[in-house]
Amino acid sequence: MQEMLPGMQEFESTDRYQEKATIELIESIVKDKELTPYARIICKSMVSLARNIDVQNSVGRETSRNMAEYRGWLDELRDLYPEQAAVDESLADLIEKSAAK
């Protein structure tokens, strides 16, 4: 393995918890939706920040700045792709029947 400068540990040495969780979160938010170019940038930025957070955590460094930026991107992604409430099928049928009358 090639020698690394102090503080420049290889990314692969981390457990990648934040990165894996971020990818899972992004997939759940954008499921069955078309990603815009802006949304792609947000997602890639979030994964990049998650990698940085994983590395910082692995060496005991402070992560609050990256976490704040991460949260900002997450809020933007949620604004672009808001959660839709699940509607009970029987309730949807009832609403549809009452609207038809």
Side-chain angles (χ1 to χ4, degrees):
M1 179 190 284
Q2 182 177 347
E3 291 289 320
M4 303 208 55
L5 295 172
M8 301 293 290
Q9 291 78 10
E10 277 188 278
F11 168 69
E12 296 303 324
S13 67
T14 71
D15 290 322
R16 302 168 65 173
Y17 296 121
Q18 190 73 30
E19 179 188 4
K20 290 174 186 174
T22 298
I23 291 168
E24 186 178 306
L25 176 65
I26 289 169
E27 287 172 349
S28 74
I29 291 172
V30 302
K31 182 180 180 183
D32 301 325
K33 297 178 178 94
E34 184 78 25
L35 280 175
T36 65
Y38 183 63
R40 275 192 214 84
I41 292 293
I42 291 172
C43 294
K44 289 179 180 189
S45 296
M46 288 177 65
V47 171
S48 179
L49 284 164
R51 288 177 179 160
N52 288 340
I53 291 165
D54 283 334
V55 170
Q56 289 171 321
N57 280 332
S58 73
V59 295
R61 293 185 65 196
E62 184 272 327
T63 63
S64 64
R65 286 188 206 157
N66 280 335
M67 286 303 288
E69 190 172 343
Y70 179 93
R71 284 298 312 247
W73 284 122
L74 177 57
D75 290 344
E76 283 209 43
L77 187 62
R78 284 186 172 152
D79 287 346
L80 289 174
Y81 302 99
E83 289 184 47
Q84 295 180 349
V87 177
D88 182 276
E89 284 187 38
S90 59
L91 178 59
D93 289 341
L94 181 62
I95 293 170
E96 186 176 318
K97 287 176 186 175
S98 66
K101 291 182 180 183

